[in-house]
Every structure is written in C-alpha cells, then in structure tokens.
Amino acid sequence: MIDGMKKTGNSKSICVRGRLMDMSRPRVMGILNVTPDSFFAGSRVQTEEAIADRARQMVTEGADIIDVGACSTRPGSEPVEEQEELRRLELALKTVRREVPDAVVSVDTFRPQVALRCVEEWGADIINDVGHGEEMFRMAARLRVPYILMSTEGDLLSMLKTWAGEVEKLRALGVADIILDPGFGFGKSLEQNHRLMGQLEDMQVMGLPLLVGISRKSMISKVLNRPAEECLNGTTVLNTMALMQGASILRVHDVRPAVEAVKLLLCNKH
C-alpha cells in the first residue's frame, strides 16, 4: 500500500443508459477493431458482415461490453483522419446496435467530436479514452456517460498522483462514473508493465473500477518470444493475476477464455 493513501474499495456499480451495471462481479470487454492495422490481426473486422458476426460471437461467448475502435493506437501507428474514423465507427456501431441491441457498447477514441457523434447518433454507452485530455473530460461530462481514464505513467506513485488530480477534475465537471485503466503498453517499458501488473491491488486505493487490457500485447509476446497469435495462454495467465488483484473489467480479444477465468475465480471464492 502506498504510504499516506487509504484503501477505500471499488465502487460497486456504474450507470449505463439509466441502469446500474454491477461491478462487484468482474466483467469482460470484447475488442472489435474496424481497422486494417491493429497489432493483432485476429481482431480486425471491416465489412458489415464481419462486424455483425464478431459482435454476435462475443455476446454469445459472454461479453458484458463490446469495445469498438476505428483508429489503431499501436506503437508507431499513424492515426487515421477524423472523417475516416467516423466513417468506420458509423458502420460498426450501427451494425452492432442492429445485431445485438441490448449490448453495452464502448467507443475507443481520443477525439471528443468523434465521441460526441458515437454517443448521440450511433448508440455508444461508454467513452474509452486513450488521450485523457481535458476537452474529452468536458465531453464526457456533457454526454453523462461512463468514462474510462487511461494512464501513461510508468510507475505506481506517479500513476496514482496523476489519477487523483484527473479524477478530481472529472468530478468537478460532473462525471459520475469513472473507470481507471493503467494503460499497459502505453508509455511504459517492458519492466514497468510487469512491475505495474504486480501492483494492481495497490491501485484499488482509488476506490474506482479498474480495467486491465493486456490481451496479446508485447509485454507477453516479448517475454515468451512468441507472436501475438500465439499469446492466448500468456494472456489468460495475466488476466487471472489481474482478477486475483481485484480487476473489475478484462479488455480482451478472446472473450470465451476470459469469461471462463472469471467463472472459475468466482467459483473458488465460495
């Protein structure tokens, strides 16, 4: 535990479309990438048919949230133009809403105006922001939707201090539902990623739901010396570690293994 900080425990729910989503049970967020260049080829879907199939598959396998992204944020990638991101998201979100109308959907974007259209016009429920700029803070407050706040800090103390200031700003703006994401793979060395992986329990001091997204990332592939396509087992191992330290949401490419990990964890808690 970080000196001077008191553990308060996780918030037990977030409000999605006027309904409470219980966060005392870990949730699984499935990744749907409408991009040609995401680092894991198996997550890429670009046609309407492929998007529909992927959305139905994730819900059938037990996904609680579908995270739709249209602009790759992998290291070294160049963001697409805003209009292209909007074009991709319009197709994806309209398709997801048609095929699985009751699904909770998050939009993965760093652009406030993209978030605005996705929520107001195409039915996104949650903003998953990798940019964490104050303009997006104001947009989340305006839209009154849950907001995922990601960190690019490489050590625990810096992460907690930065989060504390950002959460204070979000609260002052009126953002009621905040989820924290340590940002594995963003602005961190391999060693920092794994050190933070072992410090997830200390992040509970913030008293907010914690999202962990390590699925098939380089922090796994570099240690195992395997391509992303061969990193499902490593992903499941780290996801289980995250669950044991209190993670509220697992963001994954492979929904079924994550859902099974949650079920087994809950079974062994009784």
Side-chain angles (χ1 to χ4, degrees):
M1 190 65 57
I2 300 299
D3 290 342
M5 301 191 79
K6 181 180 178 182
K7 185 172 179 178
T8 58
N10 276 351
S11 298
K12 298 300 183 183
S13 63
I14 59 171
C15 185
V16 180
R17 277 189 258 164
R19 294 181 295 178
L20 293 180
M21 174 180 276
D22 180 14
M23 302 302 290
S24 63
R25 176 177 71 82
R27 302 289 180 165
V28 174
M29 172 188 281
I31 300 168
L32 193 157
N33 284 323
V34 281
T35 59
D37 56 347
S38 295
F39 77 91
F40 175 49
S43 71
R44 303 172 194 162
V45 288
Q46 294 179 268
T47 67
E48 185 173 348
E49 182 180 5
I51 293 166
D53 288 346
R54 174 77 172 149
R56 288 194 299 266
Q57 177 191 6
M58 288 194 289
V59 169
T60 299
E61 291 182 354
D64 299 288
I65 305 167
I66 298 176
D67 189 48
V68 182
C71 179
S72 178
T73 53
R74 64 181 173 82
S77 64
E78 286 293 327
V80 297
E81 295 294 328
E82 184 169 323
Q83 287 306 309
E84 176 61 16
E85 184 183 12
L86 284 166
R87 185 193 68 78
R88 296 174 182 178
L89 286 170
E90 179 178 13
L91 172 65
L93 290 169
K94 285 182 174 179
T95 302
V96 170
R97 275 281 162 250
R98 183 187 70 234
E99 297 297 323
V100 285
D102 294 329
V104 175
V105 180
S106 59
V107 59
D108 184 349
T109 186
F110 59 89
R111 292 175 168 133
Q113 292 304 312
V114 170
L116 174 67
R117 295 196 64 186
C118 288
V119 172
E120 290 197 335
E121 298 181 33
W122 305 322
D125 304 301
I126 299 170
I127 297 173
N128 184 10
D129 178 21
V130 298
H132 62 278
E134 292 195 25
E135 188 178 350
M136 188 68 96
F137 291 3
R138 292 190 290 273
M139 184 60 70
R142 170 180 170 179
L143 295 171
R144 297 185 179 276
V145 294
Y147 177 75
I148 300 173
L149 174 65
M150 194 194 78
S151 176
T152 57
E153 300 290 351
D155 67 273
L156 180 63
L157 186 57
S158 296
M159 185 176 291
L160 293 176
K161 286 181 175 179
T162 302
W163 268 342
E166 291 175 331
V167 168
E168 184 177 5
K169 290 177 183 177
L170 286 162
R171 294 292 194 215
L173 289 167
V175 179
D177 297 293
I178 303 168
I179 298 163
L180 301 178
D181 176 359
F184 290 106
F186 289 84
K188 300 167 180 65
S189 68
L190 179 63
E191 293 75 16
Q192 287 173 325
N193 278 313
H194 283 282
R195 187 177 303 114
L196 288 166
M197 190 72 210
Q199 296 172 321
L200 290 173
E201 190 169 7
D202 285 327
M203 298 178 198
Q204 306 293 342
V205 71
M206 297 295 300
L208 295 169
L210 193 67
L211 180 150
V212 173
I214 47 82
S215 182
R216 297 182 182 266
K217 287 188 175 179
S218 62
M219 65 181 287
I220 300 170
S221 62
K222 287 180 180 178
V223 172
L224 300 180
N225 195 27
R226 293 284 187 272
E229 288 73 17
E230 297 177 20
C231 286
L232 175 56
N233 185 59
T235 296
T236 302
V237 171
L238 291 191
N239 278 338
T240 303
M241 289 175 57
L243 291 172
M244 293 176 71
Q245 296 182 77
S248 297
I249 302 172
L250 298 178
R251 183 179 182 272
V252 298
H253 299 96
D254 310 276
V255 169
R256 182 178 172 182
V259 168
E260 290 176 348
V262 170
K263 285 181 178 178
L264 289 168
L265 178 82
L266 293 177
C267 180
N268 283 276
K269 277 190 171 183
H270 298 298

